[in-house]
Amino acid sequence: MASNSSSSTAQQRLRIIAGHLQKRPEDENASVAAQECKAEAPRSEPSSATPVPRRRQEIMKWNGWGYSDSRFLFTKKGQAEFTGKRYRLSGLILPSLKDWFEGTFGANLQHRSPATPSLNLSAVAPPNLNQPFVEDLKAAGLVVSHDPEDRVFRAHGHCLHEVFALREGRIGRVPDMVVWPSCHSDVEKIVELACKHNVCLIPYGGGTSVSSALECPREETRSIVSLDTSQMVSVYMHACRQYLRIRRLNEHGYCTGHEPDSMEFSSLGGWVATRASGMKKNIYGNIEDLVVHIKMVTPRGVIEKSCLGPRMSTGPDIHHFILGSEGTLGVVTEVTLKIRPLPEYQKYGSVVFPNFQQGVACLREVARQRCAPASIRLMDNEQFQFGHALKPQVSSMFTSFLDGLKKFYITKFKGFDPQHLCVATLLFEGDRGKVLQHEKQVYDIAAKFGGLAAGEDNGQRGYMLTFVIAYLRDLGMDYYVIGESFETSVPWDRVLDLCRNVKERIVRECKERGVQVTQTYDAGACVYFYFAFNYRGLNDPVHVYEQVEHAAREEILANGGSLSHHHGVGKLRKEWMKESVSGVGLGMLKSVKEYVDPQNIFGNRNLL
Amino acid sequence: MASRALYSPRHPMLKKRDSFEDILEERRHSSDLRYALRCYTPTLYKGLVPCKASMLKSIVLQSDHLQYVIKQVSSESGDSTECVAEEASLILDEMAHRLQLSTVRFFVFTLSKAFKRLFRSVCVNEEGIQRLQQAVQEHPVVLLPSHRSYMDFLMMSYLLYMYDLPLPVIAAGMDFMSMKFVGEMLRMSGAFFIRRSFGGDKLYWAVFSEYVKTMLRNGYAPIEFFLEGTRSRTCKSLTPKTGLLNIVMEPFFKGELFDVNLVPVSISYERILEESLYARELLGIPKPKESTSGLLKARRVLSEDYGSMYVYFGHPVSVRSLTEGKITRSQYNLLPRCIPQKPSADTHEFLNDTAFRLVRIQEGNMVLKPWVLIATLLLQNPDGMDLSSLAEQTDWLRHLALAFGAFLDWPDHAACSEVISCSLALHRHLLSVSAGHVQLSVTDAPQVETTPEEAVFHQAVVVLSCASYRNQILHVFLRPALLAVAMQSANSNRKDDVYNCFNFLRNMFSSEFILCPGDSVQDFEEACYLLMKRGVLQVLEHEIVMSASGHSTLAFLSSVLDPFLQGYQVVSRYLCEETNENLTEKEFIPAVRNFALKLILAGRLKCYEALSSDLQKNALAAFLRLKAVMKVKVGDQVTLKVNKIAVNSLEDTLGKSDVISHQNSWWSSMAMFEIAI
């Protein structure tokens, strides 16, 4: 799909040295509306500045999601507010969030469970340094740090148990030092020295892992070095004959089209290493479709292809050893991606269905006719209500009157049960004429399944949700509510059964929250589960949560779902790898690891 | 949640059972008509409103599964798909139920009348009903009643109506449908009809399984079927069938349902309506074909007293918890679910195992009346007993049965003799009581001259009727009894010798009794445990030693199995002595019966139960299983090829435990022992 339309002629060569995505610069191009959900940089930075400082903690939370200045809080009056200036939601009051929050979780604003305010440096174990290695690194002119804050920051991803422990001030094993290479040859040097001195390297990109992939293995006795690739971000763009940061592509009228929910923070190397997927994959493809060339430094040497041919029949594709290797084989240093011109026109949309079954049937039909918009997501009733709780305060009487009228039309006139209806959110991209035509086609299909168009606003709010939901979890944790999302992919004929059974399995253990179908494929869908509960009175809530997630995952696998659609395996889902890919499959992966990294230098122990 | 309930309890005395309520009590005091017409608002699965029968039919016919099979059959047979689809539709018409509340109300009215005449009380455990009410709302429910009488499913529907539970749809044999009018009535009260055999018919199987699964998946109504497949003529539970069990579990295996609740129901009768009918059938007087006129003639049964009836709803058993760790559901992930898949070997084993355990739950929850104990004793004393010694021994047996975990309904504040005379009165047609002496005998025999053969048959009807009561308690004594017999026939007291004998007997009788395949070690341990607890045995590390006080109990236990040992010996003697090269399978039963009859007439055999075709069939099955007899297909006839050496050696092994000489001796030895104390 990615290389067919007339506008895709610009398959540009884009060379990035382990790109880390930074904040989107303020976008002057008003016609591109898609960025509104995401953080906007408060000021325009000079292009030479590094996107993320080495000391990430200066702008980001050390024990929560995202930027320090952006967070949800309940004001003294009990109203929810989102602080900061980066997001569309920033500075707005969300009047219905409190009721939803208290009603759904039985939480109470009087009962707070605040986080430890600052990192207790004495809780961090002193570094176990390999002195000859450190000296060699310094001699090679590389930037290193033993600072406890730097080390703690790189010891975790964003799994519930990781963030929960940080909030409580519990610090486990952390890397013994951090090193920041700035180019490919730096990485080669580091890996060579690591082999020489036998230290353990853990590559670090954006730190948004949700698979325990960044956790230091407890059994590791060697010195652990976090290899932070965030300073290796320049992009060479052939079209412009200059180096750029990947986000600057937009200024030149291009985009990669890869937009995972964590895109503000995650890194290109991370996308490759985890087989990431973006929400617009229907048009642009997943990371494996976007990648043209990869260069990776391994203990055995550098692995890469000899040319940039769009497709090769040269045995199994070596890229597929790298994609999803989760930092067990080496460090991705250079990636060549396909880029495309920025879409001329973007339009959000939404469709209301009387129930989830109808919605799934409609998405399946859309997939069958291969006319999926850039993004199409179906939210079940619970998530729909959650989305409503995030509606900002309406400024005018007229809008609130209109909302009332809409609600009346859907529930009374059309007879939709507010407890059952669900919403699909849509995003169309392309040239204006085609988008409008496409939109009509999709709405026509929806109508066959009882779907009613429900406006752009609902659609846009749906997408906003995916960018702020991680911030919302931090709010929940301030009030005894913990939660997490997990995902799978499943053939179409099993979507409904899987959703029902997994929900029921979760209900068996706990209270439950929403489910959504987020991606459509011709042969199936990606299903996302959000699950949160009130842990007041529970002794070990994280353990309870883990038991529930474990049970839910078993249920997913028993119902024909996959181990992961795009989050990856890490250490969290390792136990099911053999079941998922068969003993022989696992053996093949192990033998690759053994050849490439016999000393287990890349010893994060993910995947295998 | 209830998975643990499936495993045999180590402490049978601790097994807690619910108490009963008599549902006829209220019926005797208020109008049946008003009752039949009352507002019926059943609790439903997830509040779903049941769909119409016609709707159901179209869902089934449109289902992916059936469409797939239709195409497959049409490409195999060359018929057009329309043709095959038409055939499927006809099969469905023949099969489908047409539940109508008005018919149900009619049944409720007439059955209220009938039950009140037939039974003194109909007792139901209301806690079980409450559990069922809960289960029905959570997950689709499958009801698994035991099957002893035609009354069973009428009573089930009656009870569910009464307690405002959704009416079940019931898998019934096709033979009912041939009954004019009544067949249709049954259909309208929720029965659906399946052919007795349709082994190779793919289309039939597809329609049938999809029909059942659709009802289950949509939570339309509880499915009810009989694990045993047919009514047990002997009141012993029959070896369960797994076909339907597989069908109702498949939606769970394939992830179409989160869970399915299986509810075993035990229905027991103080006196069975079909009592003598069954005995005649076992003796080769063929079962009258179900017909409406036959049913009308059976009106006579309405004028008799059948005592009490008990319905015990067991704990719902969750299929999900049953399968945990035994079935990997992901094995169904790689084929579209509409494509029928034969159960894999481990699924098959699981189904079989589950079916046996469910039947054991049924057995365990069957209510036993005092008469069952009396019948057991009377059968062991063919020459009759004095009332006083009957009372004494019954009391002794009662305590033994209770110690082994029997669900005995013994009146609370009544003297033993009183209880016994009540029981004798209810079953007086099987007995003669004169001058304080009780004996099993023919009471309503015609006074006209009878041939000796006829006399034997008349007596055999009485004995087999009586045996059907003794059989009800067999499951309580079975394992200890096998051990008792094993101890007598083993060469030594060594534990492994005894175990080998035990295992041999267990294999021999595995068609006769409910013995879960693969449980022989467990069964052996259970038997040891029970007898040890009773002080009959001492189980040492390598030896099993009989206690001084144990002889009487052991003698009683081995005489419980005696009729079966003798019966099997008769069959093997027949196979050795009388058969020629071309004995067909069909001729087998009548031939053995004649052989046994001759032995009885000649005075060489006292055991009338050897005449039972059920026993003969089971014995043949055992010999076939042990490869002493082979089935050979010649033309369109199946002949039996007897390996006389093997049969002889089996007979020898059985003969070692021959306890004929011990008969009646257990009681006197116990009496002596008591004096010795």
Side-chain angles (χ1 to χ4, degrees):
Chain A
M1 234 182 263
S3 58
N4 54 358
S5 83
S6 59
S7 59
S8 71
T9 48
Q11 197 191 83
Q12 299 291 341
R13 182 160 174 239
L14 163 65
R15 178 148 293 179
I16 303 154
I17 298 177
H20 176 84
L21 289 193
Q22 50 139 100
K23 294 147 288 172
R24 181 182 293 271
E26 225 162 50
D27 205 314
E28 283 111 359
N29 185 351
S31 74
V32 181
Q35 291 93 38
E36 284 168 331
C37 309
K38 286 145 253 163
E40 289 146 27
R43 64 203 150 79
S44 209
E45 292 168 292
S47 58
S48 58
T50 48
V52 175
R54 282 197 194 103
R55 291 183 63 79
R56 298 172 83 91
Q57 53 272 33
E58 281 166 5
I59 59 161
M60 285 187 233
K61 297 193 191 86
W62 68 278
N63 61 355
W65 179 264
Y67 298 106
S68 307
D69 55 15
S70 302
R71 59 189 294 252
F72 282 98
L73 52 81
F74 285 114
T75 61
K76 292 231 167 64
K77 282 189 279 174
Q79 276 180 320
E81 190 188 325
F82 190 54
T83 63
K85 294 196 187 87
R86 294 172 189 269
Y87 296 87
R88 192 161 165 256
L89 213 55
S90 297
L92 292 181
I93 302 281
L94 312 163
S96 32
L97 187 60
K98 174 175 174 267
D99 287 344
W100 177 84
F101 185 70
E102 292 189 333
T104 316
F105 299 111
N108 189 318
L109 298 196
Q110 308 306 319
H111 300 143
R112 285 180 55 95
S113 51
T116 319
S118 60
L119 177 60
N120 175 10
L121 296 180
S122 61
V124 185
N128 159 29
L129 293 177
N130 183 322
Q131 280 309 333
F133 175 70
V134 179
E135 273 149 32
D136 279 356
L137 275 188
K138 282 188 179 152
L142 283 154
V143 188
V144 296
S145 163
H146 315 139
D147 175 55
E149 282 188 12
D150 286 337
R151 288 158 54 212
V152 168
F153 206 100
R154 283 158 189 83
H156 66 87
H158 282 275
C159 286
L160 177 66
H161 66 269
E162 294 171 318
V163 175
F164 196 84
L166 287 177
R167 287 174 59 94
E168 293 203 321
R170 282 185 284 122
I171 312 287
R173 175 88 149 101
V174 301
D176 299 302
M177 63 185 278
V178 184
V179 55
W180 287 271
S182 59
C183 60
H184 173 78
S185 59
D186 281 357
V187 176
E188 275 189 302
K189 189 78 203 162
I190 295 167
V191 173
E192 187 197 318
L193 290 175
C195 291
K196 184 174 158 201
H197 298 289
N198 193 24
V199 299
C200 170
L201 290 179
I202 297 185
Y204 181 93
T208 57
S209 146
V210 282
S211 59
S212 301
L214 292 169
E215 257 176 30
C216 297
R218 264 191 217 120
E219 57 271 47
E220 184 61 67
T221 52
R222 295 173 293 181
S223 177
I224 297 179
V225 178
S226 179
L227 194 153
D228 187 324
T229 58
S230 61
Q231 307 306 308
M232 304 167 60
V233 282
S234 40
V235 171
Y236 181 72
M237 209 166 104
H238 260 210
C240 325
R241 305 259 185 277
Q242 60 177 329
Y243 281 93
L244 289 172
R245 294 198 330 272
I246 195 165
R247 224 30 100 70
R248 293 254 141 167
L249 276 177
N250 290 344
E251 291 165 27
H252 297 266
Y254 294 101
C255 67
T256 63
H258 187 71
E259 292 187 23
D261 291 352
S262 64
M263 73 174 296
E264 304 160 82
F265 307 107
S266 54
S267 69
L268 176 53
W271 298 344
V272 170
T274 56
R275 280 183 84 83
S277 171
M279 73 169 198
K280 295 181 187 167
K281 75 103 194 131
N282 291 338
I283 291 186
Y284 302 98
N286 291 315
I287 193 74
E288 67 269 24
D289 309 310
L290 293 168
V291 159
V292 178
H293 185 264
I294 305 173
K295 192 185 241 182
M296 178 164 83
V297 180
T298 76
R300 223 4 118 168
V302 175
I303 175 174
E304 63 179 328
K305 288 184 185 175
S306 67
C307 67
L308 295 181
R311 182 180 187 276
M312 294 189 229
S313 179
T314 47
D317 191 338
I318 56 160
H319 282 170
H320 286 286
F321 289 122
I322 299 167
L323 287 156
S325 59
E326 305 193 354
T328 57
L329 300 178
V331 186
V332 175
T333 54
E334 293 182 16
V335 179
T336 308
L337 281 184
K338 297 171 191 172
I339 58 169
R340 310 239 307 191
L342 275 175
E344 174 196 315
Y345 185 66
Q346 266 192 329
K347 193 171 181 194
Y348 287 98
S350 65
V351 182
V352 185
F353 292 98
N355 55 44
F356 193 60
Q357 288 86 321
Q358 295 277 11
V360 171
C362 172
L363 260 64
R364 185 175 185 174
E365 182 60 23
V366 167
R368 197 185 69 81
Q369 296 194 17
R370 287 186 165 241
C371 62
S375 171
I376 177 166
R377 294 180 175 193
L378 181 69
M379 297 189 247
D380 74 350
N381 187 267
E382 281 100 339
Q383 211 196 342
F384 168 70
Q385 299 196 7
F386 173 37
H388 259 256
L390 288 179
K391 246 185 174 168
Q393 203 161 27
V394 180
S395 41
S396 78
M397 286 277 286
F398 182 67
T399 348
S400 95
F401 171 73
L402 266 186
D403 279 351
L405 209 62
K406 261 191 255 172
K407 194 173 168 193
F408 177 81
Y409 175 74
I410 287 177
T411 58
K412 296 290 178 318
F413 192 72
K414 281 289 177 180
F416 284 22
D417 181 346
Q419 298 308 312
H420 285 119
L421 61 81
C422 71
V423 168
T425 58
L426 310 164
L427 172 61
F428 299 93
E429 272 189 14
D431 58 71
R432 196 185 159 83
K434 276 197 182 140
V435 163
L436 296 176
Q437 194 188 342
H438 194 173
E439 191 186 19
K440 183 175 180 306
Q441 190 187 3
V442 172
Y443 285 150
D444 284 350
I445 294 173
K448 279 190 211 145
F449 295 90
L452 290 174
E456 284 187 67
D457 194 44
N458 273 322
Q460 202 164 357
R461 202 168 43 246
Y463 287 100
M464 179 179 66
L465 206 68
T466 61
F467 287 95
V468 298
I469 190 151
Y471 285 103
L472 260 176
R473 183 172 77 175
D474 291 341
L475 176 74
M477 287 207 267
D478 286 340
Y479 297 92
Y480 287 103
V481 173
I482 53 173
E484 181 81 286
S485 62
F486 44 93
E487 42 76 47
T488 186
S489 54
V490 63
W492 276 115
D493 67 323
R494 289 171 187 267
V495 170
L496 283 174
D497 287 332
L498 180 128
C499 291
R500 187 200 51 235
N501 288 353
V502 173
K503 272 190 194 180
E504 196 146 353
R505 180 82 179 248
I506 293 173
V507 168
R508 273 214 168 172
E509 334 259 341
C510 278
K511 277 189 180 175
E512 59 111 18
R513 290 273 44 84
V515 180
Q516 65 168 178
V517 173
T518 57
Q519 288 286 21
T520 67
Y521 287 86
D522 303 344
C526 167
V527 180
Y528 236 92
F529 296 88
Y530 292 111
F531 160 59
F533 64 96
N534 185 340
Y535 70 87
R536 201 153 174 271
L538 279 181
N539 240 345
D540 189 353
V542 171
H543 183 64
V544 170
Y545 168 77
E546 280 169 355
Q547 283 175 321
V548 175
E549 190 186 331
H550 192 272
R553 184 59 62 181
E554 300 252 274
E555 194 61 35
I556 286 172
L557 295 175
N559 283 279
S562 65
L563 188 51
S564 169
H565 171 261
H566 59 272
H567 281 176
V569 176
K571 289 181 269 293
L572 195 61
R573 287 174 275 272
K574 235 162 99 157
E575 64 182 288
W576 292 288
M577 262 305 269
K578 188 171 170 195
E579 194 185 320
S580 291
V581 301
S582 80
V584 178
L586 194 62
M588 285 166 88
L589 296 180
K590 276 188 175 151
S591 67
V592 169
K593 164 79 180 170
E594 227 152 78
Y595 171 76
V596 171
D597 184 15
Q599 274 179 277
N600 196 24
I601 295 300
F602 289 91
N604 59 17
R605 297 184 198 238
N606 290 337
L607 200 63
L608 300 173
Chain B
M1 59 197 173
S3 69
R4 242 148 253 127
L6 267 193
Y7 299 102
S8 59
R10 292 300 310 255
H11 304 282
M13 283 291 274
L14 299 178
K15 209 190 292 181
K16 274 183 82 182
R17 278 144 177 156
D18 309 335
S19 53
F20 284 106
E21 299 288 325
D22 178 13
I23 57 151
L24 288 188
E25 193 58 33
E26 196 203 329
R27 286 297 84 246
R28 293 193 203 278
H29 298 124
S30 60
S31 155
D32 289 330
L33 187 63
R34 195 177 312 145
Y35 177 64
L37 295 177
R38 87 198 160 92
C39 176
Y40 164 71
T41 45
T43 32
L44 295 167
Y45 168 60
K46 291 192 174 156
L48 283 177
V49 183
C51 65
K52 287 252 168 56
S54 57
M55 175 81 158
L56 185 67
K57 188 182 162 188
S58 75
I59 297 178
V60 173
L61 289 176
Q62 295 308 315
S63 69
D64 291 341
H65 173 208
L66 195 54
Q67 288 296 323
Y68 174 85
V69 174
I70 285 173
K71 276 188 201 116
Q72 202 187 16
V73 168
S74 115
S75 74
E76 276 167 19
S77 64
D79 297 335
S80 69
T81 49
E82 289 78 20
C83 222
V84 182
E86 182 61 31
E87 201 184 320
S89 164
L90 287 176
I91 294 175
L92 194 54
D93 284 336
E94 176 195 271
M95 184 184 313
H97 74 86
R98 279 193 300 276
L99 188 62
Q100 271 183 352
L101 201 54
S102 55
T103 320
V104 174
R105 291 189 194 280
F106 169 78
F107 265 111
V108 166
F109 177 72
T110 46
L111 288 177
S112 292
K113 298 274 181 220
F115 288 153
K116 279 191 285 189
R117 291 190 70 170
L118 287 169
F119 300 113
R120 292 182 197 166
S121 60
V122 173
C123 298
V124 178
N125 64 329
E126 292 204 330
E127 283 162 66
I129 295 279
Q130 281 157 17
R131 286 190 297 257
L132 181 60
Q133 257 154 358
Q134 189 64 37
V136 159
Q137 290 169 55
E138 282 170 357
H139 302 293
V141 163
V142 177
L143 295 165
L144 302 167
S146 60
H147 204 10
R148 301 286 175 270
S149 164
Y150 282 141
M151 272 300 143
D152 293 333
F153 63 81
L154 296 177
M155 184 50 92
M156 283 294 288
S157 300
Y158 183 82
L159 286 177
L160 294 182
Y161 172 85
M162 173 164 175
Y163 286 102
D164 261 345
L165 283 157
L167 289 166
V169 288
I170 308 138
M174 200 66 123
D175 28 8
F176 278 108
M177 219 181 65
S178 51
M179 293 162 85
K180 268 175 235 151
F181 183 63
V182 173
E184 284 311 299
M185 287 287 282
L186 289 177
R187 200 192 274 283
M188 284 189 278
S189 61
F192 66 95
F193 297 101
I194 40 179
R195 297 178 190 162
R196 282 267 174 226
S197 59
F198 45 89
D201 192 339
K202 241 189 235 170
L203 188 65
Y204 192 88
W205 179 258
V207 174
F208 165 55
S209 63
E210 190 56 37
Y211 181 65
V212 174
K213 282 189 220 167
T214 305
M215 290 189 288
L216 199 66
R217 274 196 292 253
N218 299 353
Y220 170 57
I223 310 285
E224 176 180 321
F225 67 92
F226 300 103
L227 275 171
E228 299 163 279
T230 180
R231 289 173 301 155
S232 165
R233 268 65 169 171
T234 57
C235 278
K236 274 184 292 151
S237 294
L238 303 176
T239 308
K241 311 265 186 294
T242 56
L244 251 165
L245 196 61
N246 182 34
I247 291 179
V248 297
M249 284 195 182
E250 229 177 43
F252 168 74
F253 292 155
K254 292 188 170 179
E256 292 161 340
L257 282 174
F258 184 75
D259 202 351
V260 176
N261 278 323
L262 307 177
V263 182
V265 183
S266 310
I267 306 176
S268 38
Y269 298 83
E270 191 168 9
R271 193 182 148 199
I272 296 156
L273 275 81
E274 292 100 328
E275 178 187 85
S276 62
L277 226 63
Y278 286 158
R280 272 172 216 188
E281 201 184 317
L282 290 172
L283 291 168
I285 307 155
K287 155 185 167 190
K289 206 167 181 250
E290 272 87 357
S291 68
T292 309
S293 63
L295 194 77
L296 290 174
K297 274 182 211 142
R299 262 179 326 172
R300 195 172 58 94
V301 300
L302 283 178
S303 57
E304 287 191 40
D305 179 2
Y306 290 89
S308 299
M309 177 180 175
Y310 297 84
V311 185
Y312 192 98
F313 288 85
H315 280 270
V317 178
S318 134
V319 174
R320 173 173 280 265
S321 54
L322 276 182
T323 53
E324 221 161 283
K326 296 196 177 146
I327 299 281
T328 40
R329 280 181 288 158
S330 52
Q331 65 182 303
Y332 294 92
N333 283 351
L334 298 178
L335 266 187
R337 292 179 292 180
C338 61
I339 297 179
Q341 255 174 296
K342 279 236 167 70
S344 62
D346 59 331
T347 310
H348 204 88
E349 200 189 310
F350 167 77
L351 287 169
N352 209 30
D353 197 54
T354 307
F356 270 95
R357 286 174 202 285
L358 287 165
V359 172
R360 280 198 71 185
I361 295 177
Q362 284 178 358
E363 279 184 332
N365 290 334
M366 292 270 201
V367 174
L368 303 169
K369 296 297 282 186
W371 166 248
V372 169
L373 304 175
I374 300 168
T376 310
L377 292 168
L378 287 175
L379 278 171
Q380 291 189 4
N381 297 277
D383 303 324
M385 301 172 84
D386 287 337
L387 271 175
S388 58
S389 86
L390 179 64
E392 207 178 331
Q393 296 189 28
T394 307
D395 198 49
W396 176 83
L397 188 52
R398 176 186 154 205
H399 287 103
L400 184 69
L402 286 174
F404 286 177
F407 192 3
L408 195 60
D409 182 49
W410 190 278
D412 277 335
H413 307 289
C416 190
S417 57
E418 209 177 302
V419 174
I420 290 177
S421 61
C422 268
S423 303
L424 295 182
L426 186 66
H427 297 276
R428 60 180 173 274
H429 57 287
L430 298 174
L431 306 162
S432 68
V433 186
S434 61
H437 191 81
V438 196
Q439 193 173 4
L440 287 181
S441 76
V442 184
T443 49
D444 57 348
Q447 294 307 307
V448 292
E449 291 284 304
T450 50
T451 61
E453 284 87 358
E454 275 169 359
V456 169
F457 271 104
H458 283 306
Q459 183 63 21
V461 167
V462 172
V463 170
L464 289 184
S465 303
C466 199
S468 75
Y469 294 100
R470 187 247 359 245
N471 287 346
Q472 295 178 14
I473 204 171
L474 273 182
H475 68 92
V476 175
F477 295 130
L478 177 61
R479 285 158 189 82
L482 286 172
L483 182 60
V485 176
M487 287 196 51
Q488 280 170 3
S489 53
N491 296 324
S492 70
N493 278 347
R494 286 168 47 87
K495 203 174 178 181
D496 45 352
D497 271 348
V498 176
Y499 174 74
N500 284 341
C501 283
F502 179 87
N503 206 17
F504 167 78
L505 289 165
R506 210 179 159 279
N507 278 338
M508 200 71 201
F509 288 130
S510 67
S511 314
E512 194 73 48
F513 309 115
I514 298 301
L515 293 160
C516 304
D519 268 5
S520 64
V521 176
Q522 240 170 295
D523 284 350
F524 183 70
E525 278 170 4
E526 191 185 320
C528 289
Y529 170 78
L530 289 174
L531 287 177
M532 219 161 57
K533 204 181 67 169
R534 196 68 193 151
V536 175
L537 296 181
Q538 282 175 292
V539 182
L540 309 171
E541 200 181 341
H542 296 293
E543 280 199 326
I544 299 182
V545 187
M546 187 168 73
S547 318
S549 58
H551 185 257
S552 52
T553 310
L554 284 185
F556 163 76
L557 288 172
S558 40
S559 37
V560 164
L561 287 186
D562 186 47
F564 300 96
L565 287 165
Q566 286 198 48
Y568 278 46
Q569 276 176 285
V570 169
V571 174
S572 56
R573 224 174 297 161
Y574 164 76
L575 288 171
C576 287
E577 292 169 16
E578 300 275 309
T579 52
N580 50 22
E581 276 304 294
N582 34 26
L583 169 72
T584 63
E585 201 183 3
K586 272 186 205 151
E587 293 161 355
F588 171 77
I589 298 278
V592 183
R593 188 183 300 125
N594 274 333
F595 180 74
L597 185 62
K598 269 186 229 155
L599 287 178
I600 291 172
L601 285 172
R604 287 167 56 201
L605 181 69
K606 291 238 168 351
C607 173
Y608 286 90
E609 289 182 53
L611 290 168
S612 157
S613 62
D614 181 68
L615 183 144
Q616 294 154 359
K617 255 184 257 169
N618 292 335
L620 179 62
F623 289 130
L624 283 165
R625 197 174 47 245
L626 297 171
K627 306 254 167 15
V629 177
M630 307 277 230
K631 275 189 189 179
V632 181
K633 219 171 172 184
V634 180
D636 46 355
Q637 276 194 325
V638 180
T639 63
L640 299 172
K641 215 177 159 72
V642 183
N643 177 348
K644 293 199 178 173
I645 301 167
V647 173
N648 239 326
S649 82
L650 284 177
E651 195 203 336
D652 280 353
T653 325
L654 281 176
K656 266 201 257 171
S657 43
D658 199 332
V659 283
I660 300 170
S661 55
H662 300 295
Q663 208 169 26
N664 296 328
S665 64
W666 64 271
W667 180 253
S668 51
S669 69
M670 186 175 90
M672 272 164 61
F673 174 71
E674 273 170 8
I675 293 162
I677 301 175

